[in-house]
């Protein structure tokens, strides 16, 4: 099979990464939607269906009951559990789509089972990276917003590095900072554009579904979460490949040798 490469770019270009992100998605739409539904859409829908009735019941209850320690505990529980579930499945989705993206850019056809296997194999270290990145970025943002954003951008390639180069948690985070150095604001521009597009789509879809209410509103929210998570995960993987080529001139074949 002919190897699909991104060429040997001289600098990181948002437009090229943007185009290649949707090219990967277009060539593997069934696989990507399946992984996104499994690791984002279905979990989001189930969590919303589980938590929303309880939230509604609390809102219909006596407002004074919110001062009750037991009510406060239940409220925290309802917020914590969905957040943890979403966090775990987000890491699984990103890992699986990193694998799928690298395989696609190498001219191979990524398989559903292989992507899931990679995601499960690296679950614990990806969870550790996700927690450390979130914790460190939040701490920095509590002091100043810009340093927090820069820190997050520096670590944004940690999961692709972990999956592709297998450097461990701290080694992947350090490697990510080295790869993104000098290109962090370009990455910021890329992710900002994608998030703006995602927000517009989100508002449009949710407006339509909310008009019908009930289960359709929940389905709409799950669909939005699926699409957003899928696109951002593929964009991160394509950005990793682009940065490897920009900074090191690495070919897609060289990137794929680890998995051969």
């Amino acid at each position: 099979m002919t190897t699909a490469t991104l060429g040997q770019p001289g600098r990181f270009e948002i437009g090229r990464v943007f185009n290649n992100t949707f090219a990967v998605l277009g060539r593997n739409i069934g696989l990507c939607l399946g992984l996104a539904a499994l690791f984002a859409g279905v979990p989001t829908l189930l969590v919303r269906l589980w938590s929303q009735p309880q939230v509604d019941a609390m809102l219909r209850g006596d407002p004074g009951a919110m001062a009750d320690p037991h009510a406060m505990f239940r409220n925290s529980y309802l917020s914590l559990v969905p957040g943890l579930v979403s966090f775990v499945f987000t890491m699984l989705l990103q890992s699986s789509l990193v694998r799928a993206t690298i395989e696609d850019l190498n001219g191979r056809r990524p398989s559903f089972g292989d992507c899931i296997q990679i995601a499960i194999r690296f679950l614990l270290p990806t969870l550790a990276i996700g927690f450390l990145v979130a914790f460190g970025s939040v701490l920095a943002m509590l002091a100043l917003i810009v340093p927090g954003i820069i820190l997050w951008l520096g670590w944004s390639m940690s999961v692709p590095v972990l999956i592709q180069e297998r450097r461990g948690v701290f080694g992947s985070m350090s490697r990510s900072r080295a790869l993104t150095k000098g290109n962090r604001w370009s990455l910021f521009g890329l992710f900002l554009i994608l998030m703006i597009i995602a927000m517009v789509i989100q508002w449009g879809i949710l407006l339509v579904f909310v008009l019908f209410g009930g289960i359709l509103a929940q389905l709409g929210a799950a669909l939005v979460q699926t699409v957003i998570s899928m696109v951002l995960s593929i964009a991160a993987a394509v950005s990793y490949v682009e940065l490897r080529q920009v900074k090191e001139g690495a070919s897609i074949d060289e990137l794929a040798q680890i998995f051969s």
Side-chain angles (χ1 to χ4, degrees):
M1 184 177 293
T2 303
T3 300
T5 66
L6 300 182
Q8 295 293 334
R11 61 189 179 89
F12 186 94
E13 292 185 6
I14 294 177
R16 182 165 50 227
V17 175
F18 188 87
N19 291 335
N20 282 315
T21 295
F22 287 95
V24 170
L25 179 59
R27 289 191 294 266
N28 304 277
I29 187 65
L31 172 69
C32 292
L33 285 175
L35 291 171
L38 177 64
F39 290 138
V42 172
T44 299
L45 178 60
L46 293 178
V47 166
R48 284 178 176 271
L49 291 176
W50 170 77
S51 62
Q52 193 61 47
Q54 302 176 63
V55 172
D56 292 340
M58 291 179 62
L59 293 176
R60 290 194 300 267
D62 181 7
M66 294 307 296
D68 180 8
H70 295 291
M72 293 176 64
F73 174 78
R74 288 195 300 271
N75 188 39
S76 299
Y77 174 75
L78 288 174
S79 300
L80 180 62
V81 171
L84 289 176
V85 171
S86 176
F87 175 68
V88 171
F89 280 98
T90 296
M91 293 295 100
L92 285 168
L93 177 62
Q94 186 172 3
S95 299
S96 64
L97 288 176
V98 166
R99 171 62 164 170
T101 299
I102 297 295
E103 286 289 275
D104 173 84
L105 294 176
N106 190 47
R108 298 171 181 165
R109 183 177 295 276
S111 71
F112 193 80
D114 179 62
C115 292
I116 293 176
Q117 181 183 20
I118 290 294
I120 294 175
R121 182 188 305 174
F122 289 94
L123 177 59
L124 291 181
T126 53
L127 288 177
I129 285 176
F131 174 78
L132 290 172
V133 170
F135 184 71
S137 300
V138 168
L139 284 181
M141 286 185 181
L142 290 176
L144 290 171
I145 294 178
V146 173
I149 294 175
I150 293 175
L151 196 62
W152 175 76
L153 290 169
W155 286 333
S156 61
M157 298 295 110
S158 296
V159 171
V161 169
L162 173 72
I163 299 300
Q164 188 62 32
E165 301 181 33
R166 305 185 182 183
R167 291 173 176 259
V169 174
F170 295 105
S172 296
M173 294 175 70
S174 177
R175 167 73 164 155
S176 176
R177 287 184 60 81
L179 279 176
T180 58
K181 186 176 181 180
N183 294 286
R184 289 169 191 165
W185 289 116
S186 295
L187 285 169
F188 176 75
L190 170 68
F191 291 130
L192 181 62
I193 291 171
L194 290 173
M195 284 188 284
I196 290 174
I197 294 174
M199 289 174 62
V200 172
I201 296 173
Q202 181 179 31
W203 292 336
I205 293 177
L206 287 182
L207 179 61
V208 173
F209 279 97
V210 167
L211 292 176
F212 295 94
I215 185 64
L216 287 179
Q218 303 299 333
L219 287 172
L223 176 61
V224 169
Q225 182 64 42
T226 299
V227 173
I228 292 174
S229 299
M230 177 180 62
V231 173
L232 291 178
S233 296
I234 295 174
V238 174
S239 296
Y240 162 75
V241 173
E242 174 90 354
L243 288 169
R244 284 289 308 269
Q245 293 185 308
V246 167
K247 305 199 62 104
E248 301 168 352
S251 67
I252 300 298
D253 286 327
E254 291 171 332
L255 293 174
Q257 282 178 358
I258 297 175
F259 287 128
S260 61

